[in-house]
Amino acid sequence: MNKNMTLYVERPSPIHRIDPLTKLLFVVLSVVSTYMMQSHLFAVGAVLLACFVLWIGNVFKFILPVIGLSLFLIGSILIIHGFFHPDRATILVEIGTFPIYKEGFSVALLLTLRLMNMLLSFGVLILTTKPSELVDALVQKGLSPRFGYVLLSVLQIIPQMLGRAQKITEAQRSRGLETEGSLWVRIKSFIPLLGPVVLNGLSETRERSLALEVRGFNVRGKRTSIQEPIVYAHSVLVRTLLCTAFMSVVFWRLFV
């Protein structure tokens, strides 16, 4: 986790040098395309493309914990559709006395690939883009500053809570609270941490709202930015390639 308490990872990569709106367009088109196409092969290609982009950005290893957290959801998808899909007819494999049906497994695999593509695509955006630059770019395009502030808070809330929880854990450990050991010991030590984490979060929210009021966040009228807009090279070319690829997917879906 970096000093700014965001998921952004600083790297001198070509993906980091692409403007935030182009990467946001990549996320939207990638996710929509996999839901338009009912093809496992296409979904695999989208997943591999997102992995390749993360690899070019030198941030692939940072998306692995997110994928690990989603394994429970992926497992539940495979179990529910594999065992209980309403269109089950052909047994693919039997685990003990429980058969996994080919039809259900096919649906579960497609859903899993779509979920993986969604996680990886958003990883490209979040790990290679500063949240402030993304919000600034959206506000400059006409997004409400209020909604931009909400979006920025959402992008920062998870890393901020993790950082806050880590600091409180270290403070409690220095006071003699046992936080390591068996699963039951960790559960007992987790409960006393909830109160300080929640109260600190509420206190920071109040302080942030007061700071915004002092700085005239609710003032009406035309706003100016203290920072000059960043000019990114090749933005038009990359967006053209993305839109062309998406239109090819639409054409294939409608006429082929």
Side-chain angles (χ1 to χ4, degrees):
M1 188 150 323
N2 58 31
K3 296 178 181 180
N4 296 323
M5 290 299 174
T6 66
L7 298 178
Y8 170 73
V9 181
E10 183 73 38
R11 289 289 188 274
S13 76
I15 306 301
H16 286 71
R17 292 192 289 270
I18 297 176
D19 69 284
L21 296 183
T22 300
K23 285 182 276 191
L24 181 61
L25 179 65
F26 166 76
V27 174
V28 173
L29 297 186
S30 178
V31 173
V32 172
S33 297
T34 54
Y35 277 89
M36 288 181 59
M37 300 291 289
Q38 302 294 321
S39 169
H40 294 78
L41 186 60
F42 181 87
V44 170
V47 169
L48 293 178
L49 175 61
C51 290
F52 180 67
V53 175
L54 288 168
W55 177 74
I56 293 178
N58 196 20
V59 292
F60 181 77
K61 65 179 182 180
F62 296 98
I63 200 65
L64 295 179
V66 179
I67 296 176
L69 291 174
S70 65
L71 289 179
F72 176 78
L73 177 59
I74 293 174
S76 64
I77 292 174
L78 292 174
I79 292 174
I80 292 173
H81 286 279
F83 290 126
F84 309 110
H85 194 271
D87 296 331
R88 59 186 183 274
T90 307
I91 295 178
L92 180 65
V93 66
E94 291 189 62
I95 302 179
T97 59
F98 298 98
I100 295 180
Y101 294 91
K102 179 180 179 181
E103 295 79 8
F105 181 79
S106 177
V107 173
L109 180 60
L110 183 58
L111 290 175
T112 299
L113 290 172
R114 287 171 174 171
L115 175 62
M116 290 290 295
N117 176 65
M118 187 181 300
L119 292 174
L120 294 170
S121 298
F122 272 101
V124 172
L125 176 65
I126 300 301
L127 295 175
T128 65
T129 307
K130 293 181 180 179
S132 57
E133 292 182 359
L134 174 60
V135 173
D136 286 343
L138 291 172
V139 171
Q140 290 171 8
K141 291 297 182 179
L143 181 70
S144 168
R146 291 176 179 270
F147 189 79
Y149 169 73
V150 172
L151 177 61
L152 182 62
S153 300
V154 170
L155 293 175
Q156 294 179 340
I157 188 171
I158 294 178
Q160 285 179 347
M161 289 189 66
L162 290 176
R164 191 183 306 119
Q166 183 178 359
K167 291 180 180 179
I168 293 175
T169 300
E170 293 174 354
Q172 298 284 43
R173 188 182 297 138
S174 66
R175 295 185 179 98
L177 179 65
E178 189 175 3
T179 60
E180 297 179 353
S182 64
L183 179 61
W184 176 243
V185 171
R186 295 186 180 185
I187 292 175
K188 288 194 301 182
S189 65
F190 176 74
I191 295 175
L193 297 178
L194 289 178
V197 170
V198 173
L199 291 176
N200 271 276
L202 294 175
S203 177
E204 287 187 5
T205 301
R206 181 175 178 275
E207 292 176 359
R208 184 176 299 182
S209 64
L210 292 175
L212 290 174
E213 290 292 337
V214 170
R215 294 170 184 173
F217 186 76
N218 291 324
V219 173
R220 299 182 181 274
K222 185 178 180 180
R223 297 172 182 266
T224 58
S225 176
I226 194 173
Q227 296 180 343
E228 292 293 331
I230 302 175
V231 179
Y232 297 89
H234 312 301
S235 294
V236 176
L237 175 61
V238 176
R239 292 182 190 181
T240 302
L241 292 175
L242 289 174
C243 291
T244 302
F246 180 71
M247 293 306 298
S248 301
V249 171
V250 174
F251 179 83
W252 182 276
R253 185 70 177 87
L254 294 177
F255 302 106
V256 178

